[in-house]
C-alpha cells in the first residue's frame, strides 16, 4: 500500500487518519486498547512524512510521538 496515498479530506494520508483515530477512540473502552504510535511507527518506517497538522490533530501518546518527528 502507498503510505502517501491521498483521500479527499484535509487529513488525507494514512498517518493523518491515525491522528484522527487517536481522537475518536475511547481507549478505556477499547479491548485491546489501540496502539496509534505503533501504527505511526510502521507508516513512518515505510516512508510516510509527518506533517505539522498530523501532530496537531493527534491526542495522547501519538501527539507527542508525532510532534517529535514533524517533517521540516
Amino acid at each position: 500500500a502507498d503510505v502517501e496515498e491521498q483521500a479527499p479530506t484535509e487529513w488525507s494520508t494514512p498517518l493523518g487518519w491515525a491522528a484522527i483515530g487517536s481522537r475518536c477512540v475511547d481507549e478505556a473502552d477499547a479491548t485491546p486498547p489501540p496502539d496509534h504510535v505503533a501504527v505511526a511507527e510502521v507508516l513512518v518506517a515505510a516512508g510516510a512524512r509527518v506533517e505539522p497538522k498530523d501532530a496537531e490533530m493527534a491526542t495522547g501518546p501519538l501527539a507527542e510521538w508525532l510532534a517529535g518527528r514533524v517533517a521540516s
Side-chain angles (χ1 to χ4, degrees), residues 26-51:
D26 183 353
E27 294 186 13
D29 291 336
T31 305
D35 190 347
H36 295 102
V37 172
V39 171
E41 288 173 337
V42 169
L43 291 169
V44 170
R49 290 172 300 170
V50 180
E51 301 293 332

Side-chain angles (χ1 to χ4, degrees):
D2 183 354
V3 296
E4 291 294 315
E5 182 66 32
Q6 300 279 316
T9 67
E10 187 173 352
W11 283 272
S12 57
T13 64
L15 195 54
W17 282 101
I20 291 169
S22 73
R23 288 187 166 267
C24 298
V25 174
D26 183 353
E27 294 186 13
D29 291 336
T31 305
D35 190 347
H36 295 102
V37 172
V39 171
E41 288 173 337
V42 169
L43 291 169
V44 170
R49 290 172 300 170
V50 180
E51 301 293 332
K53 67 181 180 180
D54 298 331
E56 293 166 7
M57 170 57 74
T59 60
L62 181 59
E64 295 172 29
W65 191 89
L66 291 172
R69 289 160 181 83
V70 172
S72 51

